[in-house]
Amino acid sequence: MSETGKPQKTKSAAGSRWLFMFVLAVVLPALFFVLFEAGLRLAGYGYPSGFFVRSRVEGRSVFSDNPRFSLRFFPPELARPSCHLAVPAEKPPGTFRIVVLGGSAAMGDPDFSFGLSRMLETMLRIRHPGARFEVINAAVTAINSNVVLPIAKDCARLKPDLFVVYMGNNEVIGSYGPGTVFAPFMSSLGFIRANVFVRSTRTGQLLQNLSRRMKTPSGGAQAWGGVDMFTRNRLRLDDKRMEAVYGHFRENLGDICGAGRRSGAKVIVSTVAVNLKDCAPFGSLHRSDLNEASVQAWDDYYRAGVESESSGRFEEAVDNYLKASVLDDTYADLQFRMARCSLAMGRHRQAAGYYARARELDALRFRADARINEIIAGMKGREGVVLADAEKAFESESPCGIPGGGLFYDHVHPNFRGTAILAKALMEQAEKVLGLESRGDIPTEKECSERLAFTTWDRYRIEKEILERMKSPAFAGRLDNAESVRRATEKSDSLKGTLGHGALAEAVESYRCAIAGRADDWVLRNNLGMLLLDAGGDPAGAVDMFRSVLKLFPFDYLSHHNLGLALARQGKLGEAAVCYEEALRIKPDFSKARFNLAEALERRGRFVEAMAHYMKLQLAPQAMAEVHNRYGERLAGEGKTGEAISQFGEALKLCPDSYDAHSRLGRLYSQTGQNDLAAGHWSEAVRIRPENAGGHVDLASLFFVRGDYGNAVLHYEKALKIRPGLPEVQNNLGLALCKQNEFEKGISHFRKALAARPDYTDARNNMAGALAQLGRHEEAILELRKSLRADPDNPDLLNNLGAELLKAGRTGEAVPQFEKALQLNPGLYSARNNLGVALSRLREGRESEGSR
């Protein structure tokens, strides 16, 4: 008690309360999380989230790539795979282990076989033949520094000697960037890293999966679409969110370097080179405060400049562009056009400045800008970190110092020559930090291409892929894309023209030579397998090659899949299915393997199993409708009409305008006598594809059966307008017209049918019948005799000829026809009756003569 007599709170009581609150607010939730996480792991829920997983190959422990790593950062349908890796857990003695980190430009898009990692390793091996090098490609398409950081931390376990960091293009569009379609933008780096950590736990994976299931489909992207996915995510250079981008990049890059240094590795960071000269901006935006009158004036100057530029009046064009820039100089295309004109006039320094400015202002920010490269260069002073200046290296190898299409496939991905320049810049720094004595000349592109087997076939397939990219919506919006497509087409066509049998044989030999020099290189073996499969016409050879890859790399899901492709090409669908299943066991979200497995099962008649896999693929409604149609067609062929109708019905639920489903349902309902239903579906088929002659024929035939000859004529005529040379349709149209007593018109169509097919007996008989109806019996007799020359033992023809002879009063000639018809078919009652009439007439004739 105090002097006042009132009780006082003691320090121990207050401390106990705070301790209780701490336990309640922090310790208990943390304990619950730990226990819940442990329970999920014990139950086998979720997946390992690290970049590597432990595996064993031929008794050796290795770190292999984790196919599910990117699920932490991408929706499953957009998840990007890493390169396939098998790194010995214990680094071999005397080996220099180098890790390459970054996005697609570092990975080697469009084909990592000839990317930076393999080029750098090849150069080092040529230049230092006595040393051993492992260059590990830990780069992944579409990732930015938020994703590279956890990869770098995982790579530290490999005890690398060197980190090579080449990144910066994806900071805006990659995960958590303001222009992303992946993990949403966050301005706080702390929140980003907390989010990345939570997603690495099984609890986070559970929450992520529940969240996806609860979301209503919004028609968003369901498959990887490259740069096309970002076309709506435009961002101005002065957007406030860009400061967060630069801040995050600086901190992430510093921490990546720190992860390397803590692992004992030296670190090379490189500035990023991009295509300035031959890549117009992907998106342009005006100043946000530009009023309508200023926009109109700007447009007038800009259009005048474009007209002058198109006519080769570059000085005049620049004058107009400069007037426009006074009103608004932030429109990226304007800067690019000023650059082109300046270059055309020989003002190289000015052109370089304008090209760089166009890149800075590009509203679809797929290329690293100047601030990104400044941040990279700023890492140089850190302990153990050195700088390679790729931007400068590319400038020094470019005409007028402006990097362009001579060094790039597209906007940021270096071609083979560009990759060699980048690898050289990095090799020179690597030699310094690794203490390697420089020996001999820098390896040439020719030497590297021989070691990597960069053949004419590889050049062609890469150029073909680049051409397809150039035609995509994001590229199509660039003002110079028509020229880019033209150049890519010329390259592709030129290379295709050289791919004769000799060139392919030479490519195969190049690969075999490269493999002889490095038997453990699974990439060479895989590429040779694809060459033998796709171009060499040797699926058996491809099978051997893919099997050899799997001996080196048994957990490579892609090689299992490729082996399946080669076996399927040989017709070994059962064995192919086993390979696809193994690929899916390793990588359950590998959609290509699932699709090919479904197709193999379908081809083997196992439609129920195939359908289950197609359903998992979440195919577009039209594609899934086609699957139901094929299944329905097979069921119909097996006589399972009810089940077939059900499958076609499912197709129509997915795609109400499925021509095939309506057409096939019409046929099935017609066969089962449900003509009203048949008419409805065939009418829909004709509505959907009015240009399809078959639909009109089906509908016309149904109308004919129902006795609606007017509509039958209408649709037969429509079919013949589409495809005039159909003798069966000409014949059927003739019959329908005759049913309406329009015999002359009918005869004209029978003649057209016979002109197209002279041996068409049905058409000739029908014409004879029409002639008979018109009383032209002698003409009918003539046609029937022609038919009998082709088919002399046809009792119906003989009977018809006898009937026409009888009508023509030639009874004596008619009798033998009826008699022969009855010899061939004694049950032909019309011939028996006709013979009776003929004999009766003959008797009457004889009696009449006798009475006279």
Side-chain angles (χ1 to χ4, degrees):
M1 300 286 288
S2 68
E3 292 180 1
T4 60
K6 294 180 180 179
Q8 301 291 311
K9 293 180 180 178
T10 64
K11 288 184 179 179
S12 61
S16 296
R17 177 173 291 181
W18 280 109
L19 179 62
F20 175 76
M21 293 297 292
F22 177 77
V23 169
L24 190 66
V26 178
V27 176
L28 287 179
L31 182 61
F32 174 79
F33 173 81
V34 169
L35 292 173
F36 190 72
E37 178 74 9
L40 289 174
R41 288 175 182 266
L42 285 172
Y45 182 84
Y47 53 86
S49 58
F51 188 70
F52 294 106
V53 291
R54 282 266 192 170
S55 304
R56 296 193 71 80
V57 177
E58 297 182 339
R60 296 182 303 121
S61 179
V62 300
F63 288 110
S64 62
D65 57 294
N66 178 7
R68 301 183 181 183
F69 166 75
S70 63
L71 293 176
R72 292 164 63 184
F73 309 97
F74 298 86
E77 62 273 10
L78 302 180
R80 308 315 301 143
S82 62
C83 292
H84 306 304
L85 304 168
V87 184
E90 293 298 323
K91 185 172 69 172
T95 298
F96 291 102
R97 182 168 279 178
I98 301 169
V99 175
V100 174
L101 298 162
S104 58
M107 183 182 187
D109 187 83
D111 187 343
F112 70 82
S113 307
F114 313 106
L116 172 59
S117 298
R118 289 177 61 77
M119 184 72 77
L120 177 59
E121 184 176 63
T122 299
M123 285 188 167
L124 286 167
R125 284 173 179 250
I126 293 172
R127 196 157 153 91
H128 304 278
R132 296 180 62 181
F133 298 94
E134 283 181 354
V135 181
I136 299 161
N137 191 347
V140 181
T141 299
I143 66 172
N144 59 13
S145 61
N146 293 312
V147 184
V148 174
L149 178 56
I151 295 176
K153 290 178 178 178
D154 284 351
C155 288
R157 299 189 310 177
L158 303 178
K159 299 179 182 178
D161 299 286
L162 178 64
F163 269 12
V164 172
V165 185
Y166 186 75
M167 67 176 186
N169 290 314
N170 300 331
E171 292 308 302
V172 173
I173 64 168
S175 295
Y176 305 104
T180 190
V181 296
F182 309 129
F185 173 68
M186 293 183 182
S187 59
S188 166
L189 190 58
F191 277 121
I192 291 174
R193 292 183 176 181
N195 191 279
V196 170
F197 167 73
V198 169
R199 290 184 176 209
S200 71
T201 66
R202 303 299 200 272
T203 306
Q205 292 166 20
L206 175 63
L207 294 172
Q208 199 174 0
N209 290 337
L210 289 173
S211 173
R212 285 199 191 101
R213 290 179 184 178
M214 291 171 64
K215 285 181 181 177
T216 302
S218 58
Q222 294 298 310
W224 178 252
V227 294
D228 291 344
M229 297 185 298
F230 306 93
T231 51
R232 295 183 180 179
N233 298 5
R234 299 180 179 230
L235 216 71
R236 291 180 53 82
L237 178 62
D238 59 2
D239 190 294
K240 293 179 180 179
R241 293 171 292 177
M242 288 302 297
E243 286 305 315
V245 170
Y246 298 130
H248 296 172
F249 181 66
R250 183 180 290 105
E251 288 203 42
N252 285 333
L253 183 56
D255 289 345
I256 290 164
C257 294
R261 295 296 297 128
R262 285 191 296 275
S263 73
K266 300 292 177 61
V267 180
I268 298 175
V269 295
S270 174
T271 56
V272 180
V274 301
N275 186 345
L276 294 177
K277 176 176 161 293
D278 296 309
C279 181
F282 288 88
S284 298
L285 293 173
H286 279 296
R287 274 174 30 203
S288 56
D289 61 346
L290 207 62
N291 60 42
E292 190 175 337
S294 296
V295 169
Q296 183 59 55
W298 188 96
D299 282 342
D300 291 342
Y301 288 129
Y302 184 77
R303 282 197 298 269
V306 170
E307 184 179 343
S308 299
E309 183 184 353
S310 300
S311 302
R313 304 191 306 274
F314 300 115
E315 193 80 56
E316 183 181 308
V318 169
D319 184 56
N320 281 298
Y321 292 146
L322 286 171
K323 289 175 182 176
S325 69
V326 171
L327 297 167
D328 180 9
D329 66 348
T330 67
Y331 199 80
D333 277 354
L334 174 67
Q335 298 293 329
F336 188 80
R337 286 188 177 279
M338 291 172 72
R340 291 201 309 192
C341 291
S342 298
L343 189 63
M345 292 186 291
R347 299 171 186 172
H348 301 157
R349 182 172 294 183
Q350 278 186 341
Y354 287 135
Y355 278 123
R357 180 69 173 159
R359 181 265 315 267
E360 298 297 291
L361 294 171
D362 195 340
L364 286 170
R365 310 191 70 78
F366 302 137
R367 295 177 289 179
D369 60 29
R371 282 281 296 279
I372 291 291
N373 275 335
E374 287 171 10
I375 292 167
I376 294 168
M379 296 289 130
K380 182 179 179 181
R382 300 195 177 202
E383 182 183 355
V385 179
V386 298
L387 176 70
D389 198 344
E391 186 177 39
K392 185 176 180 180
F394 274 66
E395 288 172 357
S396 66
E397 294 288 340
S398 301
C400 310
I402 306 169
L407 301 180
F408 291 91
Y409 286 120
D410 48 25
H411 54 305
V412 296
H413 301 113
N415 59 21
F416 195 85
R417 182 176 173 229
T419 303
I421 291 168
L422 176 58
K424 173 179 174 290
L426 291 165
M427 182 184 68
E428 290 171 345
Q429 297 302 323
E431 288 176 333
K432 293 176 184 177
V433 300
L434 295 176
L436 295 167
E437 184 180 345
S438 300
R439 295 177 181 175
D441 296 330
I442 299 293
T444 65
E445 283 180 51
K446 185 175 185 297
E447 289 177 296
C448 293
S449 68
E450 288 173 352
R451 295 286 186 100
L452 294 171
F454 186 53
T455 68
T456 303
W457 175 72
D458 296 296
R459 289 184 173 90
Y460 168 67
R461 62 184 179 81
I462 289 173
E463 289 296 343
K464 186 179 176 183
E465 180 174 340
I466 294 301
L467 175 58
E468 291 307 308
R469 290 187 188 184
M470 293 295 177
K471 295 176 181 177
S472 71
F475 283 91
R478 301 180 307 162
L479 66 88
D480 67 340
N481 201 60
E483 178 61 22
S484 296
V485 169
R486 185 191 63 77
R487 287 196 301 266
T489 302
E490 287 179 354
K491 285 182 184 177
S492 179
D493 289 347
S494 175
L495 288 165
K496 185 178 181 180
T498 65
L499 282 179
H501 180 73
L504 291 172
E506 186 178 329
V508 170
E509 183 59 27
S510 295
Y511 269 103
R512 296 202 187 280
C513 288
I515 290 169
R518 191 172 174 189
D520 63 342
D521 191 332
W522 73 270
V523 175
L524 289 172
R525 291 174 177 272
N526 180 74
N527 285 1
L528 176 55
M530 295 307 295
L531 169 58
L532 294 171
L533 181 63
D534 289 346
D538 183 8
V543 166
D544 291 341
M545 204 51 57
F546 292 134
R547 289 198 194 282
S548 72
V549 171
L550 288 168
K551 285 182 181 178
L552 298 169
F553 212 169
F555 41 79
D556 175 30
Y557 62 90
L558 195 57
S559 293
H560 283 289
H561 172 259
N562 291 343
L563 177 57
L565 291 177
L567 289 166
R569 192 73 61 83
Q570 290 182 296
K572 300 176 181 179
L573 296 175
E575 293 179 56
V578 171
C579 293
Y580 299 142
E581 287 168 348
E582 181 61 16
L584 286 169
R585 186 192 65 76
I586 299 167
K587 185 174 170 54
D589 58 344
F590 188 17
S591 58
K592 284 185 179 179
R594 191 170 298 282
F595 182 85
N596 287 326
L597 173 58
E599 196 173 60
L601 290 168
E602 181 183 336
R603 288 173 61 190
R604 296 175 69 199
R606 294 164 61 178
F607 258 97
V608 175
E609 295 167 74
M611 190 67 72
H613 287 288
Y614 282 129
M615 295 291 286
K616 287 181 181 179
L617 284 167
Q618 296 183 334
L619 298 175
Q622 188 170 357
M624 197 65 204
E626 287 305 309
V627 174
H628 284 290
N629 282 334
R630 291 197 299 272
Y631 191 13
E633 190 73 10
R634 186 177 189 92
L635 290 166
E638 295 172 356
K640 299 174 181 177
T641 303
E643 293 175 59
I645 287 172
S646 176
Q647 288 301 318
F648 294 134
E650 290 298 319
L652 289 177
K653 287 178 186 177
L654 292 164
C655 185
D657 279 350
S658 170
Y659 173 87
D660 288 339
H662 281 297
S663 177
R664 289 161 181 167
L665 278 171
R667 193 166 295 125
L668 287 176
Y669 283 129
S670 174
Q671 290 169 1
T672 55
Q674 300 177 73
N675 289 338
D676 288 342
L677 289 172
H681 284 290
W682 272 333
S683 295
E684 279 297 291
V686 166
R687 178 189 64 79
I688 295 163
R689 289 193 195 167
E691 77 290 348
N692 188 296
H696 289 288
V697 171
D698 288 336
L699 193 54
S701 299
L702 180 63
F703 283 129
F704 189 95
V705 170
R706 298 172 72 181
D708 185 351
Y709 302 117
N711 275 317
V713 167
L714 175 67
H715 285 283
Y716 281 136
E717 286 177 339
K718 286 183 177 180
L720 288 169
K721 281 183 180 178
I722 298 164
R723 294 186 61 189
L726 294 172
E728 294 85 358
V729 179
Q730 294 283 5
N731 176 63
N732 293 345
L733 174 55
L735 280 175
L737 288 164
C738 288
K739 290 289 185 180
Q740 294 180 295
N741 296 320
E742 297 187 54
F743 298 108
E744 288 289 359
K745 288 183 180 179
I747 289 168
S748 70
H749 288 285
F750 296 138
R751 292 193 190 284
K752 289 176 183 177
L754 288 165
R757 204 168 86 195
D759 61 344
Y760 192 0
T761 304
D762 286 347
R764 195 172 297 283
N765 294 343
N766 290 332
M767 183 164 70
L771 290 166
Q773 288 292 329
L774 293 172
R776 293 156 61 179
H777 303 298
E778 292 299 333
E779 292 178 65
I781 291 168
L782 180 63
E783 296 300 331
L784 288 168
R785 288 195 188 281
K786 288 179 182 178
S787 293
L788 278 166
R789 281 199 289 270
D791 190 6
D793 294 326
N794 187 317
D796 292 314
L797 282 177
L798 290 162
N799 181 46
N800 291 342
L801 176 57
E804 290 306 308
L805 289 166
L806 196 61
K807 291 174 187 176
R810 296 158 65 178
T811 309
E813 295 177 56
V815 169
Q817 309 303 325
F818 298 136
E819 289 176 338
K820 187 175 180 181
L822 287 168
Q823 286 175 2
L824 293 166
N825 184 5
L828 188 58
Y829 297 111
S830 60
R832 193 172 299 282
N833 291 335
N834 288 338
L835 177 59
V837 171
L839 291 173
S840 176
R841 287 187 184 179
L842 285 175
R843 283 195 301 271
E844 290 173 1
R846 284 196 293 272
E847 290 171 1
S848 175
E849 283 186 16
S851 65
R852 286 199 297 267

